């Protein structure tokens, strides 16, 4: 058992996180009703997450000897990058939860613990290289998500959203499992790499009934991923869940699980199908299928967002659209495309969490999520209005902000694919960005150019909100101008895929 | 030869049991009947596993699904109010689109299964070796990571179930919890 230590290092982030979960549970129990309990729980949770991010650095790369867990989870740069990203998303989720009055103080411990478990699930999902691990990761993300969506007990919208989420989640899990079982039946293995070899072999031979089974299996597997990243046609849960769930959790949900799902989708298609096979005419038109899904997803998301009066709901539809933009690049599947998704997600994490934080701040003060609550926000709370504008314009993808860089790389990767089909996809993407400008700008216009109604006084920002808004807005601005370090980190990470 | 005929007959009986159960679950007017019909599906599937010489999976199917999940579902159904009114508890909506979707999906899956895996008869040996110890070994060697990860998942689910249920229970016990929003 000489490599036992090395093997354990491969799952060090998970080990740290598990330790953190246990410590937080104990702390939450021991502190009982002390006034400082939520803060202590939050500090411990954040320390655990930061420790896990730090532990990622200690994970030996795939070249450093075999690991006992290597057959289940990848330790390549791609996996580690996404692990870090989703832990950061959970970090913001923990902090936002502490600031929100939607999470009751005596329940905050459970909220934090569930978020930590979710973080672990997301990390496993992003790194899974075995269908069993992949499915387990997916459920580890889904089950705590259902609970956290229905966290506001006694709130009808919250409960209804949770039930819808469970039903759609269970249905897509079932479809995905059926697909996996077909894959196992075809290739006799759950290992993605070996499935990839099997697919290459199968596609090289003459067409048989097994080709059909492969097509059906992939279609069904895709259902599970589409549900996790809220892509059409598995997006129906998204607006209701985003609206009904507590806002800090919505902020997290729109980013973390989406990033993990995107990572799993990329790995699934790139490892099992491989970009060259996917492009082959004799093979399956997966690229076309994903490309069409991407176009439909962004179009549905953007058009539905146009006339939403509830800002949270609008952001939900906008997040569907963003999943569509990223799926464009997933469809291309080239090295550039993978890197562009990896660049887009951290930026999306900052701007989308920021936008939801602003929604949360307005809700804390006015008790409303409707567009009308934002009237005259520019004078009622200038700082909030300005940072909200930064996040919204960044989400649109307007130049000096980070969102522009992210979108630029996405579109560049799609255009680089060179085929007429992907040119069409890119044009649809650009048109969609223009549509998106309308509803983001509408919110900005409401905030700055509409007069506040009677009795709508100043929205006083609490000090933590101000700090967090700054923490999210400053990188959104800086990354728009100086994204070199992030890009080079991604360059290094993506180079290690597999 | 005799053994194989018995197996084939058993297969069709078990498959019929599972399918009838599933149809009853879906089409029954009363949710109580649906819950009970689920028993047929679970037992039928367990029998199919046994026919495939997957002894552990068959036992787990009976113990977990029949002994645990089904009982839980029955409790939940029985404790639900207005359970006797068939139309109230288990209404059918969107018959035609539902039927079309079902037929399309079933057709696709059946064609796929037949085309890819062919009509082959799988007859297990007379005394197949037990799968318990290989599965146990795999769980603690190759699959140890998922095995351990499940424990964290179960912890989360346990905690979540308590969180969601406890408020209702406390409210039911006299509503001592202050600040609870009315439903």
């Amino acid at each position: 058992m000489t490599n036992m230590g090395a093997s354990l290092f491969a799952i060090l982030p998970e080990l740290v996180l598990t330790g953190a979960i246990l410590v937080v549970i104990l702390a939450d129990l021991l502190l009982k009703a002390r006034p400082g309990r939520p803060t202590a729980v939050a500090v411990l949770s954040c320390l655990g997450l930061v420790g896990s991010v730090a532990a990622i650095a200690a994970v030996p790369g795939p070249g450093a000897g075999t690991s006992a867990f290597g057959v289940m989870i990848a330790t390549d740069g791609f996996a580690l990058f996404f692990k870090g990203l989703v832990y950061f998303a959970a970090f913001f989720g923990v902090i936002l939860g502490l600031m929100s009055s939607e999470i009751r103080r005596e329940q905050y411990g459970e909220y934090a613990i569930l978020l930590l478990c979710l973080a672990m699930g997301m990390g496993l999902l992003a790194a899974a290289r075995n269908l069993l691990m992949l499915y387990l990761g997916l459920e580890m993300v889904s089950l705590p998500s259902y609970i956290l969506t229905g966290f506001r007990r006694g709130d009808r919208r919250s409960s209804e959203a949770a039930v819808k989420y469970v039903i759609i989640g269970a249905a897509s899990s079932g479809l995905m499992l059926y697909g996996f079982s077909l894959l196992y039946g075809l290739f006799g293995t759950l290992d993605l790499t070996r499935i990839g070899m099997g697919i290459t072999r199968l596609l090289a031979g003459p067409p048989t009934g097994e080709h059909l089974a492969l097509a059906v299996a992939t279609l069904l597997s895709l259902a599970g991923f589409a549900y996790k990243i809220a892509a059409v046609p598995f997006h129906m849960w998204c607006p209701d869940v985003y609206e009904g769930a507590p806002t800090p959790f919505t902020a997290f949900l729109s980013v973390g699980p989406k990033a993990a799902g995107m990572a799993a989708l990329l790995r699934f298609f790139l490892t099992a199908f491989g970009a060259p096979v996917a492009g082959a005419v004799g093979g399956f038109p997966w690229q076309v299928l994903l490309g069409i899904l991407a176009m439909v997803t962004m179009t549905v998301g953007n058009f539905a967002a146009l006339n939403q009066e509830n800002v949270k709901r609008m952001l939900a539809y906008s997040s569907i659209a963003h999943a569509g933009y990223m799926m464009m690049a997933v469809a291309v599947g080239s090295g550039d495309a993978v890197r562009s998704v990896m660049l887009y997600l951290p930026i999306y994490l900052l701007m989308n969490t920021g936008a939801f934080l602003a929604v949360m701040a307005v809700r804390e003060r006015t008790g409303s999520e409707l567009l009308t609550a934002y009237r005259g926000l520019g004078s009622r709370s200038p700082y909030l209005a300005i940072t909200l504008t930064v996040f919204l314009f960044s989400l649109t993808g307007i130049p000096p902000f980070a969102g522009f860089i992210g979108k630029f790389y996405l579109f560049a990767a799609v255009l680089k694919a060179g085929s007429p089909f992907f040119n069409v996809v890119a044009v649809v993407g650009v048109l969609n960005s223009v549509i998106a400008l309308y509803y983001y700008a509408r919110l900005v216009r409401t905030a700055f150019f509409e007069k506040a109604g009677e009795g709508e006084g100043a929205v006083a920002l609490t000090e933590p909100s101000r700090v967090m808004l700054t923490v999210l807005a400053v990188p959104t601005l800086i990354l728009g101008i100086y994204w070199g370090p992030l890009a080079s980190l991604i360059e290094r990470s993506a180079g290690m895929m597999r | 030869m005799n053994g194989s005929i018995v197996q084939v007959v058993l297969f069709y009986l078990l498959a019929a049991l599972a399918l009838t159960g599933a149809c009853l679950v879906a089409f029954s007017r009363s949710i109580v009947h649906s819950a009970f019909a689920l028993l047929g599906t679970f037992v039928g599937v367990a029998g199919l596993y046994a026919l495939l010489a997957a002894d552990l999976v068959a036992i787990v199917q009976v113990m977990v699904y029949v002994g645990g999940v089904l009982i839980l579902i029955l409790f939940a159904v029985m404790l639900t109010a207005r359970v006797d009114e068939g139309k109230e508890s288990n209404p059918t909506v969107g018959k035609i689109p539902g039927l079309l979707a079902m037929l399309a999906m079933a057709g696709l899956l059946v064609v796929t299964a037949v085309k890819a895996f062919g009509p082959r008869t799988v007859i297990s040996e007379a005394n197949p070796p037990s799968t318990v110890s290989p599965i146990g070994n795999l769980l603690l060697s190759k699959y140890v990571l998922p095995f351990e990860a499940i424990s964290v998942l179960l912890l989360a689910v346990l905690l979540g179930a308590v969180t969601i249920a406890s408020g209702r229970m406390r409210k039911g016990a006299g509503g001592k919890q202050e600040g609870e929003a009315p439903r």
Side-chain angles (χ1 to χ4, degrees):
Chain A
M1 280 287 148
T2 42
N3 70 346
M4 192 64 201
S7 294
L8 284 181
F9 271 112
I11 54 162
L12 196 60
E14 279 78 16
L15 290 178
V16 173
L17 211 47
T18 313
I21 291 169
L22 297 177
V23 169
V24 171
I25 290 178
L26 278 180
D28 192 45
L29 284 176
L30 291 177
L31 290 173
K32 288 202 179 89
R34 306 256 167 82
R37 184 169 80 152
T39 320
V41 165
V43 168
L44 285 173
S45 308
C46 288
L47 280 178
L49 284 166
V50 170
S52 310
V53 172
I56 290 173
V59 174
T66 49
S67 148
F69 305 109
V71 289
M72 286 296 146
I73 55 167
T75 50
D76 52 22
F78 180 79
L80 299 182
F81 175 84
F82 273 100
K83 255 184 209 178
L85 183 67
V86 294
Y87 292 166
F88 265 113
F91 181 83
F92 286 122
V94 168
I95 293 180
L96 261 58
L98 186 66
M99 287 156 52
S100 166
S101 63
E102 288 175 68
I103 308 291
R104 293 196 327 202
R105 294 304 91 184
E106 59 270 29
Q107 275 192 317
Y108 180 73
E110 283 85 357
Y111 172 84
I113 296 161
L114 286 171
L115 261 188
L116 291 180
C117 294
L118 238 165
M120 192 167 152
M122 291 189 298
L124 291 174
L125 178 62
R129 54 190 302 178
N130 182 295
L131 291 182
L132 182 73
M133 200 67 234
L134 199 119
Y135 177 68
L136 186 62
L138 194 83
E139 288 301 320
M140 259 183 106
V141 177
S142 299
L143 289 170
S145 297
Y146 304 150
I147 299 163
L148 286 171
T149 300
F151 214 62
R152 292 216 316 266
R153 292 180 320 216
D155 179 326
R156 269 190 85 92
R157 274 194 313 170
S158 184
S159 306
E160 188 190 322
V163 171
K164 275 188 185 157
Y165 199 9
V166 169
I167 291 172
I168 295 180
S172 55
S173 279
L175 290 178
M176 191 185 204
L177 274 185
Y178 196 88
F180 284 179
S181 77
L182 282 179
L183 283 179
Y184 183 76
L186 283 173
F187 305 112
T189 177
L190 292 173
D191 188 80
L192 278 180
T193 319
R194 282 207 260 156
I195 289 176
M197 292 191 287
I199 289 177
T200 315
R201 226 179 8 252
L202 183 64
L203 290 184
T208 56
E210 298 189 347
H211 283 214
L212 175 68
L214 180 59
V216 172
T218 313
L219 211 61
L220 291 176
S221 310
L222 191 60
F225 295 117
Y227 148 74
K228 209 61 263 176
I229 61 175
V232 175
F234 288 93
H235 66 290
M236 299 90 80
W237 58 273
C238 190
D240 287 326
V241 168
Y242 281 21
E243 194 187 338
T247 315
F249 180 62
T250 308
F252 166 80
L253 194 62
S254 68
V255 178
K258 200 164 277 200
M262 211 51 98
L265 180 66
L266 271 172
R267 189 181 290 278
F268 183 81
F269 272 97
L270 292 187
T271 323
F273 289 89
V277 177
V281 186
F284 299 103
W286 298 126
Q287 291 191 302
V288 176
L289 180 73
L290 281 174
I292 291 173
L293 269 185
M295 288 192 286
V296 175
T297 301
M298 60 177 108
T299 311
V300 167
N302 277 326
F303 272 101
L306 281 180
N307 52 4
Q308 295 301 327
E309 291 303 321
N310 183 315
V311 177
K312 229 166 135 186
R313 216 172 160 83
M314 184 196 93
L315 285 175
Y317 281 113
S318 111
S319 89
I320 296 176
H322 282 272
Y325 299 140
M326 283 182 268
M327 268 177 80
M328 285 192 315
V330 175
V332 173
S334 63
D336 278 335
V338 173
R339 283 191 289 276
S340 70
V341 175
M342 288 168 81
L343 182 68
Y344 197 78
L345 277 166
I347 293 172
Y348 176 70
L349 163 75
L350 292 170
M351 55 195 187
N352 215 40
T353 312
F356 273 110
L357 178 61
V359 171
M360 201 174 98
V362 171
R363 190 197 147 101
E364 291 293 304
R365 289 291 137 196
T366 63
S368 169
E369 293 159 359
L370 298 181
L371 199 60
T372 47
Y374 292 75
R375 282 182 304 192
L377 199 66
S379 52
R380 286 153 70 200
S381 178
Y383 191 71
L384 180 60
I386 288 168
T387 45
L388 177 64
T389 309
V390 168
F391 297 132
L392 290 176
F393 279 152
S394 182
L395 281 167
T396 324
I398 287 178
F401 306 108
F404 170 70
I405 300 303
K407 255 192 190 158
F408 178 79
Y409 272 83
L410 280 182
F411 281 111
V414 174
L415 286 174
K416 229 177 173 177
S419 75
F421 173 70
F422 280 115
N423 291 342
V424 172
V425 174
V427 169
V428 172
V430 170
L431 288 178
N432 264 287
S433 301
V434 178
I435 299 171
L437 176 63
Y438 171 78
Y439 58 82
Y440 291 131
R442 186 166 78 129
L443 182 53
V444 174
R445 197 200 60 170
T446 312
F448 281 100
F449 297 111
E450 279 185 26
K451 288 252 179 325
E454 286 293 307
E456 287 174 340
V459 177
L461 265 186
T462 57
E463 207 45 48
S465 304
R466 190 182 296 274
V467 171
M468 284 309 292
L469 281 172
T470 315
V471 164
L472 291 164
V474 168
T476 309
L477 284 169
I478 291 176
L479 282 174
I481 303 158
Y482 182 60
W483 64 95
L486 182 63
S488 67
L489 170 73
I490 288 162
E491 191 72 39
R492 264 178 292 144
S493 305
M496 282 196 280
M497 176 97 170
R498 216 176 282 211
Chain B
M1 194 62 209
N2 269 346
S4 68
I5 286 176
V6 172
Q7 280 195 0
V8 169
V9 170
L10 265 179
F11 169 79
Y12 282 110
L13 280 179
L14 289 168
L17 179 65
L19 279 178
T20 322
C23 289
L24 281 176
V25 172
F27 299 125
S28 166
R29 275 301 180 94
S30 150
I31 199 162
V32 181
H33 293 171
S34 287
F36 274 109
L38 209 50
L39 177 72
T41 309
F42 285 157
V43 172
V45 171
L48 289 180
Y49 288 144
L51 267 189
L52 288 168
D55 51 352
L56 181 70
V57 185
I59 292 168
V60 168
Q61 168 82 11
V62 172
M63 288 202 337
V64 174
Y65 282 94
V66 180
V69 174
L70 186 63
I71 302 296
L72 211 63
I73 290 177
L74 280 176
F75 266 116
V77 167
M78 305 266 204
L79 289 175
T80 308
R82 292 198 293 184
V83 73
D84 298 328
E85 302 158 43
K87 278 182 189 159
E88 195 72 60
S89 70
N90 220 11
T92 315
V93 282
K95 264 185 197 162
I96 304 295
L99 191 73
L100 287 180
M102 187 201 83
L103 285 179
M105 192 75 187
L108 180 66
L109 294 183
V110 168
V111 168
T112 307
V114 170
K115 270 194 144 183
F117 303 103
R120 46 184 102 155
T121 13
V122 184
I123 303 294
S124 46
E125 308 160 41
N127 281 314
S130 163
T131 59
V132 179
S133 81
I135 288 180
N137 279 325
L138 276 176
L139 270 186
L140 288 178
S141 56
K142 188 180 175 190
Y143 292 102
V144 69
L145 186 61
F147 184 63
E148 294 297 331
I150 282 180
S151 59
V152 178
L153 175 63
L154 287 180
L155 181 69
V157 171
L158 191 70
L159 208 94
V162 172
T163 313
I164 287 185
S166 67
R168 305 243 161 87
M169 275 196 274
R170 260 183 243 145
K171 224 181 346 175
K176 276 175 213 148
Q177 191 96 11
E178 72 277 64
E180 189 92 55
R183 285 197 71 179

